[in-house]
C-alpha cells in the first residue's frame, strides 16, 4: 500500500452540528503527523468540480463552537454515476490526495463504500448526522445537539399546550430512525413518541387514544418521527380531526431548526475523538471503515456493517415513555 502523504476531507449530505469540530480534529491530527490536508468543498460535488483547497492548522481555527460546516455540504447526484466518480478520482490524483476522510450520514457512507471499492482508495468515514441512524457507533455527530434543540422547543410548547389544554404533535427529524423522537420524549416528559420502529403491525395513534392518555391531564405532547410510516405530525392531526374530533390537535414541525446551533460539549468531544481516530485508523492501514464510539471506546466498523441498520432504539425506552406518562 502506498504511504499516505496527503488526505482530503469533505462533509456531505445534511449538515450536523459538530461537523466543524470533526474537520478541525482531522486536520490538526493529520498535520501533527506531518501529512498535508486538502479541504474538498460541497461534499462529493467538490471532488467532481475540483473545488479543493489546501488546509493548514489555522484553516480550522475558531470553528469548534460553530454549527454547520465550513466545507459546506451538498447532495450530489452526479457522484451516483460511474462517470461522476471517475472524474472525482481523476481530480483526487491531480491534487495528490492519497486518502479520504468523509463526514456524513448513510448516503455519504454508501458513496464512500462504492468509491473505495471501484478505485481502491483508502477511505475512512465519520458518522455525521443528527438522525443517529448509523450502526457501529452509539451516537452520531450532531445527534446530541439536535436532541437538546428539541428539548428546548418542546419545553416552550408545553407552556402553551397546558394553557390551552391541547394535544400537540411535534414532528422531529429521523426518517429511518426514531432516536430523536423517542429520547426527546423521555427528556421532555412527553406523553408519547410515535416512531417508525414501533409502527409495524401497530396503530400507535389508536393505542395512544385507547389508553386514555389524557385521563388526568390537561395537555398532551406527542413527539412524531417524520417517517411516512408514522404519517408524520400532519397526517396524525388529520386522523384525530376525522376519527377523534373530541380532541383539539395542533401541529408543530421543528424542521431545519434541529440542524442548527452551536454543538453541545458532548458533540464537540465526540467529533474531536472521532476526527483524531480517523487519522490513527489510516496510519494503522485501516480503510473502508467508519470510526465510531461504543461504550466509550473507539471502534472501526466496515462500511457495509455501518449501513446495516442493525442498531435500533431500545425497546425498554419505548416502555419507559409509557410508564412515565401515566
Ligand atoms: P443525512 O443522513 O443527513 O441525510 P446523508 O449522507 O445520508 O446525510 P444523502 O443525501 O443521502 O445524505 O447522501 C449524501 C451524498 O452521498 C449524495 O448526495 C451522493 O453524493 C452520495 N451518495 C448517496 N448515495 C450514493 C450512492 N448509492 N452512490 C454514490 N453516491 C451516493
Amino acid at each position: 500500500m502506498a504511504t499516505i502523504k496527503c488526505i482530503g476531507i469533505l462533509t456531505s449530505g445534511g449538515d450536523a452540528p459538530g461537523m466543524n469540530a470533526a474537520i478541525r480534529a482531522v486536520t490538526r491530527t493529520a498535520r501533527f503527523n506531518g501529512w498535508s490536508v486538502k479541504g474538498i468543498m460541497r461534499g462529493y460535488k467538490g471532488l467532481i468540480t475540483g473545488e479543493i483547497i489546501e488546509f493548514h492548522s489555522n484553516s480550522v481555527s475558531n470553528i469548534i463552537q460553530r454549527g454547520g460546516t465550513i466545507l459546506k455540504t451538498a447532495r450530489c447526484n452526479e457522484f451516483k454515476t460511474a462517470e461522476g466518480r471517475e472524474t472525482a478520482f481523476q481530480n483526487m490524483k491531480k491534487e495528490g490526495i492519497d486518502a479520504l476522510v468523509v463526514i456524513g450520514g448513510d448516503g455519504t457512507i454508501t458513496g464512500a463504500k462504492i468509491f473505495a471499492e471501484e478505485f481502491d482508495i483508502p477511505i475512512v468515514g465519520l458518522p455525521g448526522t443528527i438522525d443517529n441512524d448509523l450502526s457501529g457507533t452509539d451516537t452520531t455527530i450532531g445527534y446530541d445537539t439536535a436532541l437538546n434543540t428539541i428539548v428546548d422547543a418542546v419545553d416552550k410548547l408545553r407552556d402553551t399546550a397546558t394553557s390551552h389544554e391541547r394535544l400537540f404533535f411535534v414532528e422531529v427529524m429521523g426518517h429511518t430512525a426514531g432516536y430523536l423522537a423517542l429520547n426527546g420524549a423521555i427528556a421532555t416528559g412527553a406523553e408519547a413518541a410515535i416512531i417508525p420502529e414501533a409502527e409495524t403491525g401497530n396503530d400507535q395513534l389508536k393505542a395512544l387514544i385507547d389508553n386514555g392518555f389524557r385521563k388526568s391531564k390537561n395537555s398532551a405532547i406527542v413527539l412524531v418521527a417524520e417517517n411516512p410510516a408514522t404519517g408524520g405530525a400532519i397526517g396524525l392531526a388529520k386522523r384525530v380531526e376525522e376519527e377523534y374530533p373530541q380532541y383539539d390537535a395542533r401541529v408543530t414541525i421543528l424542521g431545519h431548526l434541529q440542524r442548527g446551533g452551536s454543538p453541545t460539549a458532548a458533540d464537540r468531544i465526540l467529533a474531536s475523538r472521532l476526527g483524531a481516530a480517523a487519522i490513527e485508523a489510516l496510519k494503522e492501514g485501516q480503510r473502508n471503515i467508519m470510526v465510531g464510539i461504543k461504550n466509550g471506546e473507539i471502534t472501526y466498523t466496515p462500511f457495509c456493517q455501518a449501513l446495516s441498520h442493525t442498531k435500533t432504539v431500545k425497546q425498554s425506552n419505548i416502555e419507559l415513555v409509557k410508564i412515565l406518562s401515566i
Side-chain angles (χ1 to χ4, degrees), residues 168-179:
F168 264 90
F169 289 111
V170 183
E171 186 174 295
V172 301
M173 287 190 175
H175 45 239
T176 56
Y179 288 97

Side-chain angles (χ1 to χ4, degrees), residues 12-14 44 74-77 79-80 85 104-108 110-111 114 128-129 131 133 175 259:
S12 153
Y44 294 120
R75 305 201 193 259
C76 173
N77 282 333
F79 196 72
K80 292 183 180 172
R85 291 191 297 273
D106 56 351
T108 302
T110 304
I114 294 168
T129 167
D131 295 348
D133 59 350
H175 45 239
R259 290 197 186 281

Side-chain angles (χ1 to χ4, degrees), residues 259-280:
R259 290 197 186 281
S262 181
T264 58
D267 268 332
R268 296 181 198 195
I269 294 165
L270 176 70
S272 299
R273 288 187 66 195
L274 292 180
I279 299 302
E280 290 307 319

